[in-house]
Amino acid sequence: DLEKTSLRTKDLHHLKLPAIPESAAQYRTWRNSVRTAILAFDTSMEGHLGPWLSKAFVARGSDSPELARDSGNFPRCDRVIASLLCRQESLRSSFGLKIQSYVERCEMNGENTRGRYILNLISTEFDTANVSTSITTSLELFQLPSPQESVSGLRHWHDKVTYILSQLAIHQRPADDMLSHWAYNSLK
């Protein structure tokens, strides 16, 4: 049993997940927090939990319903994640109705509620929004005006640059040499 060798399931009652994000800007931070929080419980040297969890964030199209039917090698972990995502504070979010609908559908069909499927619902929603806003965000970086001639102006410019870069996925960020050239010309 891969779950028994990779996880101490009794430790999962310590798992805490951040509140469900309300926007695509919050999604990346949320996804990274959820991923690291869950993977912290993986005791295997091979990291068996990582690929299992990654499917929740990358499955699209016909792969998504498979997450609702099968927990893979980690059924107990899947149920724990589902219980955390079905708490009352999560049900008040914009996803509350989708989560409730899924839980009720599972109840009617006599199926287990699966956390990876709920994670996938959230991921699918914000992934689409993130793709549509990332192009604008990368353009915004290069359209930033040069910083004002004061320390507070420089600090404000730095904060804007940091915010915009944090919104971009790593593969969407401009190359480091291009960024350094742009920063040099902006600060010159």
Side-chain angles (χ1 to χ4, degrees):
D1 187 10
L2 190 59
E3 187 169 42
K4 285 183 180 177
T5 60
S6 299
L7 282 174
R8 289 182 45 169
T9 52
K10 66 181 180 180
D11 289 343
L12 287 176
H13 75 280
H14 294 293
L15 178 62
K16 293 187 181 358
L17 298 179
I20 294 175
E22 294 293 328
S23 68
Q26 295 172 348
Y27 169 71
R28 265 184 75 212
T29 304
W30 177 84
R31 181 192 63 210
N32 293 336
S33 297
V34 167
R35 185 170 168 69
T36 55
I38 295 171
L39 292 181
F41 291 93
D42 189 350
T43 59
S44 68
M45 295 299 285
E46 299 83 12
H48 294 293
L49 192 58
W52 175 85
L53 182 61
S54 290
K55 288 182 183 176
F57 296 112
V58 298
R60 298 293 181 265
S62 61
D63 294 335
S64 293
E66 179 62 31
L67 296 173
R69 289 189 296 271
D70 184 24
S71 291
N73 294 321
F74 298 93
R76 173 83 174 119
C77 184
D78 207 13
R79 289 190 298 270
V80 169
I81 294 169
S83 73
L84 293 172
L85 293 171
C86 292
R87 291 198 171 156
Q88 190 171 8
E89 57 270 10
S90 297
L91 298 179
R92 287 188 208 131
S93 72
S94 60
F95 284 92
L97 291 176
K98 287 183 181 182
I99 294 171
Q100 283 181 351
S101 173
Y102 168 65
V103 170
E104 290 167 358
R105 189 172 65 230
C106 288
E107 184 180 346
M108 282 182 5
N109 296 335
E111 299 171 347
N112 286 327
T113 306
R114 303 188 196 282
R116 283 195 313 170
Y117 182 73
I118 297 171
L119 288 173
N120 185 258
L121 287 174
I122 297 166
S123 179
T124 303
E125 177 76 22
F126 285 128
D127 218 14
T128 303
N130 194 20
V131 167
S132 66
T133 60
S134 64
I135 295 171
T136 304
T137 305
S138 64
L139 293 175
E140 286 177 12
L141 178 66
F142 294 116
Q143 292 176 351
L144 276 177
S146 297
Q148 301 298 318
E149 296 181 12
S150 67
V151 174
S152 64
L154 182 61
R155 195 172 293 132
H156 181 69
W157 181 82
H158 174 267
D159 292 345
K160 281 185 175 182
V161 169
T162 303
Y163 175 76
I164 291 171
L165 286 174
S166 72
Q167 299 306 307
L168 294 173
I170 291 174
H171 67 278
Q172 294 172 331
R173 290 182 185 174
D176 287 342
D177 58 340
M178 183 186 295
L179 279 175
S180 62
H181 182 71
W182 168 77
Y184 174 76
N185 286 330
S186 295
L187 297 173
K188 188 166 55 167

